[in-house]
Amino acid sequence: MAPRLQLEKAAWRWAETVRPEEVSQEHIETAYRIWLEPCIRGVCRRNCKGNPNCLVGIGEHIWLGEIDENSFHNIDDPNCERRKKNSFVGLTNLGATCYVNTFLQVWFLNLELRQALYLCPSTCSDYMMGDGIQEEKDYEPQTICEHLQYLFALLQNSNRRYIDPSGFVKALGLDTGQQQDAQEFSKLFMSLLEDTLSKQKNPDVRNIVQQQFCGEYAYVTVCNQCGRESKLLSKFYELELNIQGHKQLTDCISEFLKEEKLEGDNRYFCENCQSKQNATRKIRLLSLPCTLNLQLMRFVFDRQTGHKKKLNTYIGFSEILDMEPYVEHKAEPSKSQTRKPKCGKGTHCSRNAYMLVYRLQAQEKPNTTIQVPAFLQELVDRDNSKFEEWCIEMAEMRKQSVDKGKAKHEEVKELYQRLPAGAEPYEFVSLEWLQKWLDESTPTKPIDNHACLCSHDKLHPDKISIMKRISEYAADIFYSRYGGGPRLTVKALCKECVVERCRVLRLKNQLNEDYKTVNNLLKATVKGNDGFWVGKSSLRSWRQLALEQLDEQDGDADQSSGKMNGNTLNKDESKEERKEEEEELNFNEDILCPHGELCISENERRLVSKEAWSKLQQYFPKAPEFPSYKECCSQCKILEREGEENEALHKMIANEQKTSLPNLFQDKNRPCLSNWPEDTDVLYIVSQFFVEEWRKFVRKPTRCSPVSSVGNSALLCPHGGLMFTFASMTKEDSKLIALIWPSEWQMIQKLFVVDHVIKIMRTEGGDANLSETQYISEPKLCPECREGLLCQQQRDLREYTQATIYVHKVVDNKKVMKDSAPELNVSSSETEEDKEEAKPDGEKDPDFNQSNGGTKRQKISHQNYIAYQKQVIRRSMRHRKVRGEKALLVSANQTLKELKIQIMHAFSVAPFDQNLSIDGKILSDDCATLGTLGVIPESVILLKADEPIADYAAMDDVMQVCMPEEGFKGTGLLGH
């Protein structure tokens, strides 16, 4: 098949010589590519681009030939879920619960523990009704023992290959997505189980945990002086063995039992000698439990990182462990521990094993048959019945899917051979629908050809590449079985679209010649009033504009035919492109003024001859037309004169105000409340915002609007009272106000409209008891509104989200630690003042409305003032990040503990080694939120780290566990 561009040209080559009014049916069918030859399977390897007669590679390959029945469904054989004969039942891993499943299997295989749990009384009697179990109600164990009973019964007699332990995990309150310490889980659960069973009356049940898992050893200390031996007996449920530096399990046990010398400062106080003496201390095993749990201590804590580290050391161990050399029997001497333990049948070597469980070899063969209690067996039987029902249901679904697949296979084999139209009557069907018909994974929906229709409700010629021409016979069967529409027969070929396309193509072919003609015409000088005004920008790009206009209909065709069958243009992208095109100026609209008339700027336009305009009009018939005698827009002329006058006026006003208030403009010789000037008893107040806006205008009078009024109402409450105290105006509120000398105030009253006069007066106390200087404001302070403002400010500072704070680490030598996580820095080098200066001209604060006309003002409310003050507070609080600080994004409702975790990732300091403070206040309550602790946006928190000293040698082959651990806090394991 020819390339797409050649195919496109071949389909429309006739349009070069045929005028639009001469288009015939033969031309129409050629445009719809009906003349193209169909492709042959085996010869054509993939579907041809843009050929409606190519029916190869549309998904038919999976149906042709012999098909495996299993391809008709995605349902696994339910018998694969069935337990095999003489095999164990598995447990489902719920995410990160493999450690739970491991111990459940270990405990299940402990026959004595299983038997004892079966003997526990159960609340299942409440669940029973009459002679059986309530059918409409699922059994829900109420206690940990009942969960274990039910799980063990299922593990023993279930027909399933694996069972779900989620009820047990949920009862313990475990997080299925969090990996936990298996050894800690074993300890806590054994403790919980022992505590639960201790309330049972049956001693075989009550004491089962101690009987199976509890051993005894003694801490033995021997005085070197007198030989006195003291013992401290202790029970154990597991032995914790250090594996560092060892290769064999027996070596780990030997180290656990090795003798320790007590010398020097660590000497032992001997009761017999009544003084401190050198001594030896060791652990002596007295008795071993029936089930011996050996914990291999693979995880050690690294104080430098605040994480646990895993030792990946290989440890060898045997299947049979001879513990006789290590145990002191009653009435027998202790055997030497230097003797090597015997090896059993086989040995293993692992770098991941963290717990080994050994069972005591009994002299008598244990009873391996444990009878499941009747009530539990009835529950298991019911679950097995449900499983069998599920197997039958899945098998039936598989059979139905296979039957449907076979029927579809026969349909495809029958119809695909009849799809090609040839010379017989034909119809067009959407390629997308044909592909879905051949897709075995989705049900076939009714045919929908609406996306391929033109504005005349016929088949769009540009959509032919995403359509397929099929025989009328096949189309009849499709519509009878699946419905849909509209049906696109030979009558659906759109003559109107073909004729329009023909006209466009002829213009495109003519465009290059016309471009040369227009260029030559533009060289001639236009005389008299015969010319026309054309925008210079339009003249520079008129050929491109003409091409885009002519290609507007071809665009969709190029995009659709340029894809493989079934890959259509993204609708959202197409809409976005059209929206951008609509926003662009059309030809000659670049000389339109805002009023739709000829613009006044002659630099943007030029005169062209009548002949040149005539050629341009062929391509842009709707372009605005301006003969050379056309007058410019009268409104724009008036506005231009007014603008020139306004600029001159603004410059004059700015110069006058700058001359009248030189010190205020240059910010020189300003009064200060904290150091009241001696030569005056009165100072006036305006908002700092007014001063800043006025200075902007004076600096750039042609780019800014004049400030005509002083909006002091923003500094007052709704009752007309002042919102500041004298003390606050000397400290935190000093950046919100500007102090004015009396002489300057007189000039301000002349130059601006003042809504409210605010002043501070100094008076000497007349009373003998009041000799101190007093400062009185006019208007007076409104205490209620002042208090409300402060409360609102505090709420705002404590209700932030995603705000920036800074953490500064301080070390003993006062040097700041080098940055270790620069990607966390979110601060900007651009100051807030720079951003304010970069605002577009004319952008004003809505609370001040200092416009240049009249004295009308927006009513200022208390909320408006708060909004204004927030803006200035943000500007004044802006913190410039210094070297060694890290910027963190926080929210007011997050806890101090969560912040410490962020700091840990940023500075590699463990939370328990962090000493945090803000403004001299220690932050210690991990559960408190940042808002309640007074941490506000732009705060700087000091971090002082407790630098640990390494207390262990460097470890070989270690792997770091990176996330901080919560352990089993909040679970049912700690509830007892």
Tab-separated table of all heavy atoms in Angstrom, residues 544-589:
chain	number	residue	atom	x	y	z
A	544	GLN	N	0.134	32.166	5.406
A	544	GLN	CA	-0.035	31.168	6.455
A	544	GLN	C	-1.473	31.155	6.967
A	544	GLN	O	-2.051	30.090	7.210
A	544	GLN	CB	0.932	31.469	7.611
A	544	GLN	CG	0.883	30.469	8.759
A	544	GLN	CD	1.294	29.077	8.343
A	544	GLN	OE1	2.076	28.918	7.411
A	544	GLN	NE2	0.748	28.063	9.003
A	545	LEU	N	-2.052	32.350	7.130
A	545	LEU	CA	-3.448	32.418	7.558
A	545	LEU	C	-4.375	31.763	6.543
A	545	LEU	O	-5.337	31.074	6.904
A	545	LEU	CB	-3.860	33.876	7.784
A	545	LEU	CG	-3.219	34.602	8.974
A	545	LEU	CD1	-3.589	36.087	8.950
A	545	LEU	CD2	-3.667	33.977	10.284
A	546	ALA	N	-4.085	31.990	5.275
A	546	ALA	CA	-4.913	31.379	4.227
A	546	ALA	C	-4.787	29.864	4.249
A	546	ALA	O	-5.785	29.141	4.119
A	546	ALA	CB	-4.501	31.927	2.863
A	547	LEU	N	-3.556	29.369	4.437
A	547	LEU	CA	-3.355	27.921	4.504
A	547	LEU	C	-4.094	27.313	5.704
A	547	LEU	O	-4.727	26.257	5.591
A	547	LEU	CB	-1.867	27.609	4.610
A	547	LEU	CG	-1.086	27.527	3.297
A	547	LEU	CD1	0.389	27.380	3.581
A	547	LEU	CD2	-1.594	26.379	2.441
A	548	GLU	N	-3.993	27.982	6.844
A	548	GLU	CA	-4.674	27.472	8.035
A	548	GLU	C	-6.185	27.459	7.828
A	548	GLU	O	-6.872	26.526	8.248
A	548	GLU	CB	-4.313	28.333	9.240
A	548	GLU	CG	-2.858	28.177	9.681
A	548	GLU	CD	-2.500	29.135	10.787
A	548	GLU	OE1	-3.374	29.955	11.168
A	548	GLU	OE2	-1.350	29.083	11.272
A	549	GLN	N	-6.680	28.481	7.175
A	549	GLN	CA	-8.115	28.542	6.918
A	549	GLN	C	-8.543	27.443	5.949
A	549	GLN	O	-9.569	26.789	6.150
A	549	GLN	CB	-8.470	29.925	6.350
A	549	GLN	CG	-9.961	30.135	6.113
A	549	GLN	CD	-10.262	31.582	5.771
A	549	GLN	OE1	-10.089	32.454	6.601
A	549	GLN	NE2	-10.683	31.814	4.540
A	550	LEU	N	-7.733	27.197	4.920
A	550	LEU	CA	-8.058	26.146	3.962
A	550	LEU	C	-7.859	24.758	4.561
A	550	LEU	O	-8.538	23.800	4.167
A	550	LEU	CB	-7.181	26.302	2.708
A	550	LEU	CG	-7.435	27.559	1.869
A	550	LEU	CD1	-6.406	27.665	0.754
A	550	LEU	CD2	-8.845	27.545	1.292
A	551	ASP	N	-6.925	24.659	5.486
A	551	ASP	CA	-6.646	23.363	6.108
A	551	ASP	C	-7.549	23.066	7.291
A	551	ASP	O	-7.408	22.020	7.932
A	551	ASP	CB	-5.196	23.311	6.595
A	551	ASP	CG	-4.229	23.168	5.435
A	551	ASP	OD1	-4.686	22.784	4.343
A	551	ASP	OD2	-3.037	23.456	5.614
A	552	GLU	N	-8.457	23.984	7.621
A	552	GLU	CA	-9.298	23.809	8.800
A	552	GLU	C	-10.096	22.512	8.733
A	552	GLU	O	-10.215	21.784	9.712
A	552	GLU	CB	-10.249	24.998	8.948
A	552	GLU	CG	-11.000	24.998	10.268
A	552	GLU	CD	-11.832	26.240	10.440
A	552	GLU	OE1	-12.004	26.979	9.452
A	552	GLU	OE2	-12.302	26.478	11.557
A	553	GLN	N	-10.616	22.216	7.518
A	553	GLN	CA	-11.357	20.974	7.354
A	553	GLN	C	-10.413	19.788	7.151
A	553	GLN	O	-10.732	18.662	7.508
A	553	GLN	CB	-12.310	21.080	6.149
A	553	GLN	CG	-13.411	22.104	6.344
A	553	GLN	CD	-14.286	22.243	5.105
A	553	GLN	OE1	-13.894	21.824	4.023
A	553	GLN	NE2	-15.448	22.831	5.284
A	554	ASP	N	-9.240	20.049	6.568
A	554	ASP	CA	-8.303	18.962	6.318
A	554	ASP	C	-7.582	18.529	7.582
A	554	ASP	O	-7.008	17.448	7.617
A	554	ASP	CB	-7.249	19.399	5.288
A	554	ASP	CG	-7.887	19.659	3.932
A	554	ASP	OD1	-9.035	19.223	3.768
A	554	ASP	OD2	-7.244	20.285	3.082
A	555	GLY	N	-7.603	19.379	8.615
A	555	GLY	CA	-6.847	19.064	9.823
A	555	GLY	C	-7.267	17.756	10.448
A	555	GLY	O	-6.451	16.900	10.777
A	556	ASP	N	-8.582	17.566	10.602
A	556	ASP	CA	-9.069	16.329	11.197
A	556	ASP	C	-8.721	15.133	10.334
A	556	ASP	O	-8.419	14.049	10.829
A	556	ASP	CB	-10.592	16.391	11.387
A	556	ASP	CG	-10.975	17.418	12.441
A	556	ASP	OD1	-10.108	17.727	13.283
A	556	ASP	OD2	-12.114	17.902	12.409
A	557	ALA	N	-8.764	15.318	8.994
A	557	ALA	CA	-8.443	14.213	8.092
A	557	ALA	C	-6.987	13.804	8.241
A	557	ALA	O	-6.653	12.625	8.314
A	557	ALA	CB	-8.730	14.604	6.646
A	558	ASP	N	-6.096	14.801	8.314
A	558	ASP	CA	-4.674	14.485	8.457
A	558	ASP	C	-4.409	13.754	9.762
A	558	ASP	O	-3.632	12.808	9.819
A	558	ASP	CB	-3.848	15.781	8.417
A	558	ASP	CG	-3.882	16.405	7.021
A	558	ASP	OD1	-4.194	15.671	6.074
A	558	ASP	OD2	-3.605	17.613	6.906
A	559	GLN	N	-5.075	14.209	10.838
A	559	GLN	CA	-4.821	13.603	12.133
A	559	GLN	C	-5.393	12.200	12.214
A	559	GLN	O	-4.782	11.305	12.763
A	559	GLN	CB	-5.417	14.474	13.245
A	559	GLN	CG	-4.676	15.794	13.400
A	559	GLN	CD	-5.467	16.819	14.188
A	559	GLN	OE1	-6.653	16.671	14.380
A	559	GLN	NE2	-4.785	17.861	14.619
A	560	SER	N	-6.597	11.974	11.670
A	560	SER	CA	-7.209	10.655	11.764
A	560	SER	C	-6.559	9.657	10.837
A	560	SER	O	-6.307	8.522	11.203
A	560	SER	CB	-8.709	10.750	11.466
A	560	SER	OG	-8.913	11.254	10.155
A	561	SER	N	-6.250	10.055	9.611
A	561	SER	CA	-5.639	9.130	8.675
A	561	SER	C	-4.178	8.895	8.981
A	561	SER	O	-3.573	7.967	8.477
A	561	SER	CB	-5.778	9.654	7.242
A	561	SER	OG	-5.131	10.908	7.106
A	562	GLY	N	-3.620	9.715	9.830
A	562	GLY	CA	-2.219	9.546	10.186
A	562	GLY	C	-2.011	8.547	11.299
A	562	GLY	O	-0.910	8.327	11.744
A	563	LYS	N	-3.094	7.933	11.773
A	563	LYS	CA	-2.988	6.965	12.860
A	563	LYS	C	-3.273	5.568	12.320
A	563	LYS	O	-3.891	5.392	11.279
A	563	LYS	CB	-4.011	7.288	13.978
A	563	LYS	CG	-3.863	8.680	14.557
A	563	LYS	CD	-2.640	8.792	15.417
A	563	LYS	CE	-2.545	10.170	16.065
A	563	LYS	NZ	-1.371	10.332	16.890
A	564	MET	N	-2.828	4.558	13.052
A	564	MET	CA	-3.230	3.188	12.735
A	564	MET	C	-4.699	3.037	13.058
A	564	MET	O	-5.264	3.778	13.858
A	564	MET	CB	-2.408	2.202	13.573
A	564	MET	CG	-0.989	2.049	13.096
A	564	MET	SD	-0.868	1.362	11.453
A	564	MET	CE	-1.466	-0.302	11.774
A	565	ASN	N	-5.338	2.048	12.446
A	565	ASN	CA	-6.758	1.845	12.671
A	565	ASN	C	-7.043	1.657	14.152
A	565	ASN	O	-6.382	0.890	14.836
A	565	ASN	CB	-7.232	0.597	11.909
A	565	ASN	CG	-7.480	0.907	10.448
A	565	ASN	OD1	-7.704	2.055	10.093
A	565	ASN	ND2	-7.420	-0.099	9.607
A	566	GLY	N	-8.050	2.360	14.622
A	566	GLY	CA	-8.462	2.269	16.013
A	566	GLY	C	-7.847	3.315	16.906
A	566	GLY	O	-8.305	3.519	18.003
A	567	ASN	N	-6.814	4.011	16.464
A	567	ASN	CA	-6.174	5.060	17.272
A	567	ASN	C	-6.692	6.411	16.813
A	567	ASN	O	-6.287	6.918	15.781
A	567	ASN	CB	-4.661	5.017	17.135
A	567	ASN	CG	-4.100	3.733	17.689
A	567	ASN	OD1	-4.692	3.145	18.590
A	567	ASN	ND2	-2.987	3.285	17.144
A	568	THR	N	-7.607	6.978	17.545
A	568	THR	CA	-8.226	8.239	17.150
A	568	THR	C	-7.606	9.388	17.912
A	568	THR	O	-6.967	9.214	18.944
A	568	THR	CB	-9.747	8.200	17.421
A	568	THR	OG1	-9.945	7.921	18.801
A	568	THR	CG2	-10.398	7.123	16.583
A	569	LEU	N	-7.827	10.596	17.416
A	569	LEU	CA	-7.267	11.802	18.035
A	569	LEU	C	-7.913	12.048	19.384
A	569	LEU	O	-9.110	11.843	19.559
A	569	LEU	CB	-7.518	13.003	17.115
A	569	LEU	CG	-6.998	14.344	17.596
A	569	LEU	CD1	-5.478	14.342	17.624
A	569	LEU	CD2	-7.499	15.457	16.710
A	570	ASN	N	-7.127	12.464	20.329
A	570	ASN	CA	-7.625	12.804	21.648
A	570	ASN	C	-8.585	13.992	21.546
A	570	ASN	O	-8.217	15.065	21.098
A	570	ASN	CB	-6.441	13.161	22.567
A	570	ASN	CG	-6.877	13.392	23.997
A	570	ASN	OD1	-7.695	14.271	24.276
A	570	ASN	ND2	-6.328	12.596	24.900
A	571	LYS	N	-9.828	13.763	21.999
A	571	LYS	CA	-10.861	14.798	21.838
A	571	LYS	C	-10.531	16.051	22.639
A	571	LYS	O	-10.742	17.173	22.179
A	571	LYS	CB	-12.215	14.234	22.256
A	571	LYS	CG	-12.710	13.119	21.339
A	571	LYS	CD	-14.069	12.625	21.799
A	571	LYS	CE	-14.589	11.522	20.876
A	571	LYS	NZ	-15.902	11.016	21.318
A	572	ASP	N	-10.015	15.862	23.848
A	572	ASP	CA	-9.693	17.025	24.675
A	572	ASP	C	-8.606	17.870	24.027
A	572	ASP	O	-8.670	19.090	24.036
A	572	ASP	CB	-9.247	16.562	26.061
A	572	ASP	CG	-10.384	15.914	26.825
A	572	ASP	OD1	-11.539	16.249	26.501
A	572	ASP	OD2	-10.125	15.101	27.720
A	573	GLU	N	-7.595	17.219	23.435
A	573	GLU	CA	-6.528	17.960	22.771
A	573	GLU	C	-7.072	18.717	21.570
A	573	GLU	O	-6.704	19.858	21.310
A	573	GLU	CB	-5.420	16.993	22.334
A	573	GLU	CG	-4.661	16.378	23.500
A	573	GLU	CD	-3.603	15.412	23.020
A	573	GLU	OE1	-3.466	15.263	21.791
A	573	GLU	OE2	-2.915	14.818	23.868
A	574	SER	N	-7.967	18.054	20.808
A	574	SER	CA	-8.530	18.700	19.623
A	574	SER	C	-9.340	19.931	20.004
A	574	SER	O	-9.235	20.984	19.374
A	574	SER	CB	-9.408	17.700	18.863
A	574	SER	OG	-9.959	18.294	17.719
A	575	LYS	N	-10.148	19.821	21.066
A	575	LYS	CA	-10.944	20.958	21.514
A	575	LYS	C	-10.057	22.096	21.989
A	575	LYS	O	-10.321	23.270	21.738
A	575	LYS	CB	-11.884	20.519	22.645
A	575	LYS	CG	-13.011	19.605	22.182
A	575	LYS	CD	-13.886	19.220	23.362
A	575	LYS	CE	-15.023	18.314	22.916
A	575	LYS	NZ	-15.864	17.884	24.057
A	576	GLU	N	-8.975	21.751	22.692
A	576	GLU	CA	-8.073	22.777	23.201
A	576	GLU	C	-7.402	23.522	22.056
A	576	GLU	O	-7.255	24.744	22.096
A	576	GLU	CB	-7.015	22.113	24.088
A	576	GLU	CG	-6.134	23.092	24.848
A	576	GLU	CD	-6.897	23.908	25.865
A	576	GLU	OE1	-7.953	23.433	26.340
A	576	GLU	OE2	-6.464	25.028	26.168
A	577	GLU	N	-6.998	22.776	21.013
A	577	GLU	CA	-6.362	23.425	19.870
A	577	GLU	C	-7.346	24.358	19.160
A	577	GLU	O	-6.983	25.465	18.760
A	577	GLU	CB	-5.852	22.356	18.900
A	577	GLU	CG	-4.648	21.588	19.449
A	577	GLU	CD	-4.238	20.461	18.529
A	577	GLU	OE1	-4.885	20.312	17.472
A	577	GLU	OE2	-3.286	19.745	18.868
A	578	ARG	N	-8.580	23.903	19.012
A	578	ARG	CA	-9.579	24.760	18.349
A	578	ARG	C	-9.836	26.022	19.159
A	578	ARG	O	-10.020	27.103	18.605
A	578	ARG	CB	-10.890	23.974	18.175
A	578	ARG	CG	-10.802	22.864	17.144
A	578	ARG	CD	-12.184	22.396	16.739
A	578	ARG	NE	-12.142	21.280	15.833
A	578	ARG	CZ	-12.346	20.027	16.185
A	578	ARG	NH1	-12.622	19.740	17.431
A	578	ARG	NH2	-12.299	19.053	15.299
A	579	LYS	N	-9.869	25.869	20.493
A	579	LYS	CA	-10.107	27.032	21.336
A	579	LYS	C	-8.995	28.055	21.162
A	579	LYS	O	-9.240	29.264	21.073
A	579	LYS	CB	-10.203	26.587	22.793
A	579	LYS	CG	-10.524	27.716	23.755
A	579	LYS	CD	-10.633	27.193	25.171
A	579	LYS	CE	-10.937	28.337	26.132
A	579	LYS	NZ	-11.037	27.845	27.535
A	580	GLU	N	-7.739	27.593	21.094
A	580	GLU	CA	-6.615	28.505	20.912
A	580	GLU	C	-6.683	29.178	19.550
A	580	GLU	O	-6.367	30.367	19.402
A	580	GLU	CB	-5.305	27.732	21.050
A	580	GLU	CG	-5.039	27.251	22.476
A	580	GLU	CD	-3.775	26.435	22.556
A	580	GLU	OE1	-3.128	26.250	21.498
A	580	GLU	OE2	-3.423	25.982	23.661
A	581	GLU	N	-7.119	28.408	18.526
A	581	GLU	CA	-7.208	29.002	17.195
A	581	GLU	C	-8.280	30.086	17.143
A	581	GLU	O	-8.122	31.108	16.473
A	581	GLU	CB	-7.520	27.908	16.174
A	581	GLU	CG	-6.337	26.955	15.954
A	581	GLU	CD	-6.727	25.803	15.061
A	581	GLU	OE1	-7.896	25.761	14.636
A	581	GLU	OE2	-5.861	24.951	14.785
A	582	GLU	N	-9.403	29.840	17.867
A	582	GLU	CA	-10.478	30.832	17.846
A	582	GLU	C	-10.042	32.133	18.514
A	582	GLU	O	-10.519	33.210	18.177
A	582	GLU	CB	-11.697	30.255	18.561
A	582	GLU	CG	-12.370	29.122	17.774
A	582	GLU	CD	-13.475	28.454	18.583
A	582	GLU	OE1	-13.670	28.879	19.733
A	582	GLU	OE2	-14.126	27.544	18.061
A	583	GLU	N	-9.136	32.036	19.492
A	583	GLU	CA	-8.691	33.233	20.199
A	583	GLU	C	-7.704	34.052	19.365
A	583	GLU	O	-7.466	35.217	19.664
A	583	GLU	CB	-8.039	32.827	21.517
A	583	GLU	CG	-9.036	32.231	22.512
A	583	GLU	CD	-8.361	31.733	23.760
A	583	GLU	OE1	-7.108	31.732	23.773
A	583	GLU	OE2	-9.062	31.350	24.710
A	584	GLU	N	-7.108	33.483	18.318
A	584	GLU	CA	-6.173	34.220	17.487
A	584	GLU	C	-6.919	35.189	16.571
A	584	GLU	O	-8.067	34.963	16.187
A	584	GLU	CB	-5.350	33.233	16.646
A	584	GLU	CG	-4.444	32.335	17.475
A	584	GLU	CD	-3.684	31.355	16.612
A	584	GLU	OE1	-3.918	31.362	15.385
A	584	GLU	OE2	-2.878	30.579	17.154
A	585	LEU	N	-6.238	36.268	16.206
A	585	LEU	CA	-6.847	37.270	15.334
A	585	LEU	C	-6.945	36.753	13.912
A	585	LEU	O	-6.049	36.065	13.412
A	585	LEU	CB	-6.014	38.550	15.357
A	585	LEU	CG	-6.028	39.345	16.674
A	585	LEU	CD1	-5.094	40.527	16.557
A	585	LEU	CD2	-7.434	39.811	17.009
A	586	ASN	N	-8.057	37.085	13.258
A	586	ASN	CA	-8.215	36.750	11.852
A	586	ASN	C	-7.562	37.840	10.993
A	586	ASN	O	-7.092	38.867	11.495
A	586	ASN	CB	-9.702	36.606	11.498
A	586	ASN	CG	-10.333	35.435	12.225
A	586	ASN	OD1	-9.719	34.383	12.358
A	586	ASN	ND2	-11.559	35.618	12.702
A	587	PHE	N	-7.572	37.598	9.683
A	587	PHE	CA	-6.911	38.522	8.755
A	587	PHE	C	-7.499	39.920	8.858
A	587	PHE	O	-8.713	40.119	8.859
A	587	PHE	CB	-7.048	37.985	7.321
A	587	PHE	CG	-6.370	38.843	6.292
A	587	PHE	CD1	-5.006	38.781	6.111
A	587	PHE	CD2	-7.104	39.751	5.527
A	587	PHE	CE1	-4.374	39.578	5.183
A	587	PHE	CE2	-6.486	40.555	4.587
A	587	PHE	CZ	-5.111	40.466	4.411
A	588	ASN	N	-6.617	40.898	8.969
A	588	ASN	CA	-6.925	42.336	9.013
A	588	ASN	C	-7.626	42.779	10.289
A	588	ASN	O	-8.026	43.933	10.408
A	588	ASN	CB	-7.759	42.782	7.801
A	588	ASN	CG	-7.303	44.132	7.288
A	588	ASN	OD1	-6.139	44.496	7.436
A	588	ASN	ND2	-8.200	44.876	6.670
A	589	GLU	N	-7.773	41.879	11.266
A	589	GLU	CA	-8.350	42.288	12.537
A	589	GLU	C	-7.301	42.950	13.438
A	589	GLU	O	-7.649	43.468	14.496
A	589	GLU	CB	-8.952	41.079	13.253
A	589	GLU	CG	-10.220	40.559	12.584
A	589	GLU	CD	-10.842	39.403	13.349
A	589	GLU	OE1	-10.215	38.952	14.332
A	589	GLU	OE2	-11.935	38.949	12.968
